[in-house]
Amino acid sequence: MTTTMVAGTANNARPFLYGPEEAALTDVLRSGHYGHTDVTDQFEADVAAFLGVPDTVAIASGTSALHVALLAAGVGPGNEVIVPSLTFCATIQAILAVGARPRFVEVDPRTLCVGSGEVLDAVTPDTRAVLPVLYGGRAVDLPEAQPVFAEQGITVIEDAAHAFGSYAGERRVGATGALTCFSFGPIKNLTCGQGGMIVPRNALEAEACRKLCGLGIVESAAWRAEATGYTVESFGLRVQMSSLNAAIGCAQLGRFPEAEAKRKALWRTYAIALQGVEGVTVVDVDVDRSVPHLCAVLVHADRDQVFRKLRDRSVGVGTHYPPNHLQPAFTPWHRSLPVTERLSRQIMTLPFHQHLAEGDVEHVASEVVKAVTETEAVG
Ligand SMILES: *Cc1c(COP(=O)(O)O)cnc(C)c1O
């Protein structure tokens, strides 16, 4: 028992398998068809039904979802894409992949997400898209910016890598009409091993995304097997979702209510345990509407010291994320972002995954309190 507990809390994140994934995967392995197959179609249909949307496009990863969504939205060289610096570097690499320029913006320190104010301040005549990141699983709504988006033809592409299952108002994220990208990577709310998904805004966009995922070939793989030729109609990548990954996804989706309940419960336990603790602020994830992907806190003592102490005590804390505007690869697009720079010295993410028990969370919270209390406050 003790070993399990230590192993659990020593990890910041871990995939969680419910059981049926192995049999589903074995079935596909034995079928001998590993490309985009009817299993991939099934996963697309299952997720569409879950979200309450007409169609979804399964893809190889969250990064390729963002890449293909940007291409489908017509974003390219000469265009600027507004994006928070505080995100996984994959968001930025997708922007560079289409030849556009990232315009880094600040986030609201309360949510670690962008708001209309941050976005509107950054709009230029070159802005073609805005890429809000649904940090921790929290939906992002930009109502005050919508008139400007409409006027300038700016597309909102949601990086919802953290937010599978979360609600935006009455609807699930992905069902609000925005062009939405999910990740089903190893540690996300739902995993396919690797994978991602685009929720297109209409049938035309779905068609464009499918062609972009499949080398620009018009005909389906099933049709091609029977034919003497095929038609390459446009530019395309090889980023369709393999049936192997889709099979894992179908099995996971069937058990998603468990993920939803567990992740909310873990997050709430952290929030209660750390409520009112001096030196630590829990970043609000709007847990009633979200399926939390992580639990982030701001540390008001020397974060690096607290982090080191906790790591030394086998508590798997993390720092999501080192800001992108300070990364060597992204210096051409550097801007001064004092809020993000301050936050990046305060953010610490706590062990958060479905192997944790409530008692593990309480153990971590008490270790955090101890480490913060022992460490000097910083201005
Ligand atoms: C995981 C993640 C991605 C990329 O998804 P992959 O499936 O790993 O390619 C993009 N953005 C954010 C915020 C993520 O956490």
Side-chain angles (χ1 to χ4, degrees):
M1 265 328 277
T2 315
T3 327
T4 319
M5 193 176 104
V6 170
T9 53
N11 288 296
N12 187 255
R14 264 174 75 185
F16 187 87
L17 300 179
Y18 300 90
E21 293 88 350
E22 285 186 28
L25 187 53
T26 304
D27 283 350
V28 176
L29 268 174
R30 289 181 181 162
S31 79
H33 299 287
Y34 308 149
H36 181 120
T37 69
D38 56 344
V39 180
T40 319
D41 291 339
Q42 186 64 52
F43 184 51
E44 289 182 342
D46 289 355
V47 173
F50 172 80
L51 296 176
V53 297
D55 201 5
T56 66
V57 179
I59 189 163
S61 69
T63 309
S64 51
L66 293 166
H67 182 186
V68 165
L70 283 160
L71 288 172
V75 181
N79 298 153
E80 238 169 36
V81 179
I82 295 175
V83 65
S85 173
L86 193 76
T87 180
F88 188 41
C89 62
T91 321
I92 316 309
Q93 297 289 21
I95 296 168
L96 298 189
V98 301
R101 302 191 302 271
R103 187 167 169 87
F104 292 120
V105 294
E106 301 275 29
V107 288
D108 180 340
R110 205 177 51 83
T111 62
L112 304 185
C113 293
V114 295
S116 293
E118 288 87 10
V119 170
L120 285 172
D121 281 350
V123 171
T124 75
D126 290 340
T127 307
R128 267 304 309 279
V130 179
L131 235 163
V133 175
L134 283 63
Y135 187 99
R138 186 188 179 99
V140 173
D141 193 18
L142 303 168
E144 295 87 0
Q146 292 304 329
V148 174
F149 295 167
E151 195 181 311
Q152 271 209 39
I154 295 171
T155 304
V156 175
I157 302 172
E158 294 184 324
D159 181 342
H162 293 185
F164 187 72
S166 292
Y167 279 86
E170 300 294 297
R171 290 154 178 261
R172 298 258 190 198
V173 166
T176 60
L179 179 51
T180 302
C181 298
F182 292 112
S183 164
F184 300 137
I187 57 157
K188 296 296 164 50
N189 289 357
L190 180 146
T191 188
C192 290
Q194 289 285 356
M197 192 156 268
I198 301 171
V199 185
R201 289 169 295 178
N202 53 57
L204 215 63
E205 195 162 70
E207 178 72 20
C209 289
R210 289 208 162 89
K211 269 199 290 182
L212 283 162
C213 291
L215 295 169
I217 298 172
V218 184
E219 298 87 1
S220 74
W223 187 91
R224 263 173 12 235
E226 306 289 327
T228 54
Y230 58 79
T231 316
V232 183
E233 207 175 64
S234 51
F235 169 76
L237 300 159
R238 179 63 133 177
V239 291
Q240 86 277 31
M241 179 185 278
S242 161
S243 56
L244 294 163
N245 300 108
I248 299 172
C250 286
Q252 288 254 314
L253 188 62
R255 303 290 286 271
F256 194 75
E258 292 168 52
E260 203 164 355
K262 178 88 193 207
R263 288 179 169 274
K264 280 175 188 280
L266 291 173
W267 194 92
R268 286 188 174 115
T269 306
Y270 269 129
I272 290 165
L274 294 171
Q275 192 171 33
V277 170
E278 208 179 322
V280 184
T281 311
V282 178
V283 176
D284 186 28
V285 78
D286 191 9
V287 68
D288 290 343
R289 282 189 288 181
S290 302
V291 181
H293 167 60
L294 43 78
C295 181
V297 298
L298 302 182
V299 177
H300 307 294
D302 184 329
R303 193 271 320 264
D304 290 4
Q305 267 192 57
V306 172
F307 181 94
R308 189 43 42 221
K309 278 182 185 151
L310 288 165
R311 277 278 168 185
D312 288 348
R313 293 169 191 167
S314 298
V315 177
V317 285
T319 56
H320 295 76
Y321 294 93
N324 284 288
H325 71 289
L326 304 178
Q327 292 290 357
F330 309 140
T331 42
W333 306 283
H334 174 271
R335 304 171 69 203
S336 171
L337 298 173
V339 175
T340 299
E341 285 163 32
R342 173 172 59 77
L343 288 168
S344 75
R345 291 189 298 269
Q346 296 180 323
I347 291 172
M348 188 171 73
T349 55
L350 307 179
F352 198 85
H353 53 79
Q354 289 165 241
H355 296 277
L356 295 176
E358 303 281 315
D360 296 331
V361 169
E362 273 149 18
H363 164 73
V364 170
S366 71
E367 289 292 330
V368 169
V369 172
K370 215 180 346 166
V372 170
T373 313
E374 289 167 7
T375 309
E376 238 175 279
V378 286

